[in-house]
Amino acid sequence: MDAGQPLRWSRRAGGLLLAAILLLSDGVACAAPVGGTAHDDPLAFGGGSAPVPSMPPVGGRDGMVVSAQTLASQVGARILQQGGNAVDAAVAVGYALAVVYPAAGNIGGGGFMTLRTPDGHAIFLDFREHAPAAATATMFQDASGNVIAGLSTKGWKAVGIPGTVAGLELARQRWGHLSRRQVMAPAIALARDGFVLTDGDVELISHGNDDFRRDPVARRFFLRPDGSGLQAGDRLVQRELAQVLERISRQGTRGFYEGRTATEIVEASRRGGGLLTRADLSGYRPRLLPTLTCDYRGYHIDTAPPPSGGGVALCEMLNILSGYDMHRLGLYTAPAVAREVEAMRHAYADRQDLGDPAFVANPVAHLLDVEYARQIRAAIPTDHAVASTTIRPGVPTPEGQETTHYSVIDRDGMAVAVTYTLNGWFGAGMVAGRTGVFMNDEMDDFSTRPGTPNMFGIVGSKANEIAPGKTPLSSMTPTVISRDGKPVMVIGSPGGSRIPTIVLSVVLGVIDYGLDIQHAVDLPRIHEQWQPEAVQVEQGALTPGVIDTLRREGYSFQSYPHWGVAEGILVGGPRLNAPAGDARYYGGADRRHSTSAAVGE
Ligand code: DON
């Protein structure tokens, strides 16, 4: 990138962590800028909540790539420079993240792409994992029907048939301009020649250190020779992964789902007690689905349909909230928070009835009916909390970032939102033999037993029970927003069950509260998922006064460290209706992960 040109600059998020929001001992939220200048906030913070210090968004005239790793964002911007469109860049970023963000970027997992073409056609590409042919509804239960702890999250039984390579290749063939060789070259170079780790990379990779110690292949490149963890300044070279990527580059999907790579995966699975067969791999096909759509205050939302529950939840929450004047209520005021929480509670209670549309009939039309939203609103009291109907102990994770989202837009306005994942950091915790490919633990997203919470504390029903070839229900919510036929925003995030409420928070920040995209991404978050009942609060989101008011109304709260890594793009100005500057695109990278970067083109 040429830093000399004002509209093509990139900014790493390093050092600007949202740790800047300090929760003082008396519980008063306080904003402490660390680097850069906090810019004027367009809001009157009705609740008295402290504005979050925010850098301005990054501008770009001809394109924008925002991802969780700087090198990957740069790869995407370079592909745009070379004449690639947003899909070419998205495919290149997908492969690059598998190398430079290996805890979640992947070729051994799966994900979703929401795509909006310049002529306004929106489509959803589902390349999520499928259950192997030998999978059964009770495969994670013991003889008494109890769920066996850890079996769906670690080791080969946890692995679904990966979809990423098939998905990226389908996207490239349908919408890309560049050759597979061109879009994969940067990832291959990064794997083969290595890259020097920053503190942020090390923080990410260190999540897997215990797994690496158990894996004879992973330990060779993900640990130092003495078995200690990698450090900033070390060069991470992944030769085996480079070879697999080269095979895919030469042979296409056959380079992964057949031949040597497939043999390695299947053999490793068999040795590890897994279910994957060659037929599972060679039979994998991604699918194209219509996007799930809804409208919010004149904006059109294209988002993820089932097998994600994320888009349904997002649209149901927006439908409910559309009946309130959220701007007038004020960001983080007690009445605004209460309405958001009740909208979330309803949407998450409804989520449990969803599953793979190839296997179950999803009540989407009913859940997204505006009349249904009106009835929910009518039943939401304005002075006390609604009790979640059934309370079962959930086990929310303390942090939720173990997936990754990136957003891309090109000069023609083609917009691509991709969320893909191994599920937990480094998935099931092992690489597939000598491939250097980390495998997902996506089987945990099924209901291992209806009614039992998964690793995100989320409860599913029979609609999401395991069956051969079935896709587990997801929360991933890659979303493109448009108005009057033109793209306005590209957004998504990791965060497990919290993903839809993270996306909601950014959408409300931009549309209702007039924030710029960076500020909306930075906003501290709240989350309610019906079970468990307590409202989850990112440190600093609510003032003691607001919390007191809501406690008196019957709400309970649980405070968490930061969660999610939302990566967003706003079109036309840094915030809605702002006068257009020189840039056309504005990127907001989530500083909760220090390697996130928006790179303008
Ligand atoms: O598809 C899903 O909803 C999950 N597998 C996503 C996992 C995730 O976001 C992990 N991050 N906390």
Side-chain angles (χ1 to χ4, degrees):
M1 305 309 100
D2 180 354
Q5 294 184 22
L7 292 180
R8 292 173 55 209
W9 76 98
S10 71
R11 193 186 59 230
R12 277 200 52 217
L16 293 169
L17 281 174
L18 216 69
I21 304 159
L22 305 176
L23 198 69
L24 299 181
S25 53
D26 63 356
V28 177
C30 142
V34 271
T37 327
H39 62 102
D40 284 346
D41 195 287
L43 276 178
F45 281 79
S49 183
V52 179
S54 185
M55 299 292 290
V58 168
R61 188 159 34 210
D62 288 329
M64 178 63 62
V65 182
V66 193
S67 86
Q69 217 280 356
T70 312
L71 295 170
S73 297
Q74 289 171 346
V75 162
R78 215 158 43 230
I79 291 287
L80 293 178
Q81 259 173 42
Q82 291 167 1
N85 66 12
V87 170
D88 292 310
V91 172
V93 172
Y95 282 116
L97 284 169
V99 179
V100 299
Y101 199 79
N106 69 81
I107 57 173
F112 298 140
M113 174 185 288
T114 302
L115 166 79
R116 188 179 184 281
T117 61
D119 63 5
H121 183 62
I123 190 87
F124 182 76
L125 172 55
D126 168 14
F127 55 95
R128 188 159 160 80
E129 299 86 339
H130 298 169
T136 64
T138 55
M139 63 183 278
F140 297 115
Q141 299 172 18
D142 64 18
S144 322
N146 298 315
V147 174
I148 303 166
L151 202 59
S152 62
T153 53
K154 286 287 172 203
W156 278 96
K157 281 213 167 57
V159 179
I161 308 166
T164 297
V165 172
L168 295 182
E169 183 57 4
L170 175 61
R172 190 194 64 78
Q173 283 175 349
R174 280 275 173 119
W175 293 284
H177 292 156
L178 301 185
S179 68
R180 190 167 55 235
R181 195 184 55 72
Q182 281 171 296
V183 295
M184 292 193 68
I188 293 170
L190 284 162
R192 184 192 56 221
D193 305 336
F195 64 102
V196 177
L197 299 176
T198 63
D199 286 327
D201 297 322
V202 168
E203 185 205 325
L204 177 84
I205 288 170
S206 66
H207 287 288
N209 282 352
D210 289 342
D211 289 333
F212 307 149
R213 290 193 180 101
R214 286 190 289 268
D215 188 303
V217 178
R219 68 176 302 141
R220 287 213 308 271
F221 39 88
F222 275 99
L223 293 175
R224 287 179 154 188
D226 66 359
S228 64
L230 295 174
Q231 298 299 324
D234 289 349
R235 177 174 286 272
L236 174 60
V237 176
Q238 301 170 74
R239 279 195 201 88
E240 287 85 350
L241 180 60
Q243 284 163 9
V244 172
L245 292 170
E246 271 163 12
R247 239 174 268 149
I248 298 167
S249 174
R250 279 197 309 273
Q251 303 169 11
T253 53
R254 284 187 298 112
F256 183 84
Y257 292 97
E258 296 174 31
R260 201 165 142 198
T261 316
T263 304
E264 283 283 334
I265 293 173
V266 169
E267 280 305 303
S269 171
R270 195 186 47 75
R271 283 195 304 274
L275 304 179
L276 290 180
T277 63
R278 289 190 72 101
D280 284 332
L281 290 175
S282 62
Y284 181 89
R285 298 286 178 277
R287 60 185 155 177
L288 292 169
L289 296 168
T291 54
L292 187 96
T293 62
C294 56
D295 293 288
Y296 186 66
R297 306 201 202 285
Y299 292 88
H300 184 69
I301 319 269
D302 282 293
T303 187
S308 180
V312 178
L314 176 67
C315 281
E316 187 175 335
M317 292 185 291
L318 289 172
N319 283 347
I320 296 168
L321 294 175
S322 67
Y324 303 119
D325 186 342
M326 298 302 288
H327 181 81
R328 194 180 53 76
L329 290 174
L331 181 60
Y332 296 140
T333 59
V337 171
R339 281 158 180 80
E340 266 189 66
V341 166
E342 297 308 343
M344 291 173 182
R345 197 192 313 274
H346 273 280
Y348 278 79
D350 287 339
R351 179 198 191 273
Q352 67 156 348
D353 290 330
L354 302 176
D356 182 343
F359 287 75
V360 296
N362 289 301
V364 174
H366 169 63
L367 296 181
L368 299 191
D369 186 345
V370 289
E371 175 56 21
Y372 177 60
R374 197 194 59 73
Q375 288 164 4
I376 292 174
R377 251 191 330 269
I380 292 178
T382 52
D383 57 352
H384 65 270
V386 175
S388 292
T389 44
T390 312
I391 299 170
R392 292 191 192 88
V395 193
T397 49
E399 292 190 34
Q401 308 178 343
E402 305 128 277
T403 289
T404 194
H405 175 85
Y406 56 96
S407 296
V408 184
I409 196 160
D410 65 22
R411 65 167 63 82
D412 297 323
M414 180 180 277
V416 182
V418 178
T419 314
Y420 76 149
T421 186
L422 292 166
N423 201 21
W425 285 138
F426 293 101
M430 70 283 152
V431 294
R434 284 166 296 173
T435 63
V437 175
F438 282 100
M439 302 303 288
N440 67 83
D441 61 334
E442 215 65 68
M443 294 296 284
D444 188 64
D445 272 349
F446 281 114
S447 305
T448 49
R449 190 183 63 178
T452 300
N454 72 1
M455 70 191 263
F456 303 109
I458 200 136
V459 182
S461 69
K462 219 172 149 47
N464 190 32
E465 78 177 359
I466 303 169
K470 192 174 176 185
T471 299
L473 187 63
S474 173
S475 297
M476 294 187 288
T477 314
T479 298
V480 179
I481 300 179
S482 55
R483 183 167 190 144
D484 301 330
K486 297 202 176 67
V488 171
M489 185 169 165
V490 192
I491 187 67
S493 178
S497 57
R498 292 163 171 155
I499 292 172
T501 59
I502 296 167
V503 173
L504 177 75
S505 157
V506 182
V507 172
L508 296 186
V510 168
I511 294 182
D512 282 332
Y513 297 116
L515 302 180
D516 72 44
I517 183 67
Q518 183 65 60
H519 198 162
V521 163
D522 288 348
L523 281 180
R525 294 165 181 153
I526 57 171
H527 173 74
E528 161 65 43
Q529 62 179 41
W530 178 53
Q531 293 178 38
E533 184 142 351
V535 181
Q536 301 172 32
V537 180
E538 232 182 13
Q539 287 181 359
L542 303 179
T543 60
V546 168
I547 288 180
D548 279 352
T549 304
L550 292 172
R551 277 208 179 111
R552 280 197 299 277
E553 294 178 4
Y555 291 92
S556 59
F557 296 93
Q558 224 169 346
S559 171
Y560 286 89
H562 58 83
W563 68 72
V565 187
E567 313 287 8
I569 298 172
L570 201 63
V571 181
R575 64 177 68 91
L576 293 178
N577 307 319
D582 290 334
R584 247 175 91 206
Y585 299 126
Y586 293 83
D590 199 330
R591 298 176 284 164
R592 289 165 178 82
H593 188 72
S594 67
T595 62
S596 284
V599 179
E601 179 32 41

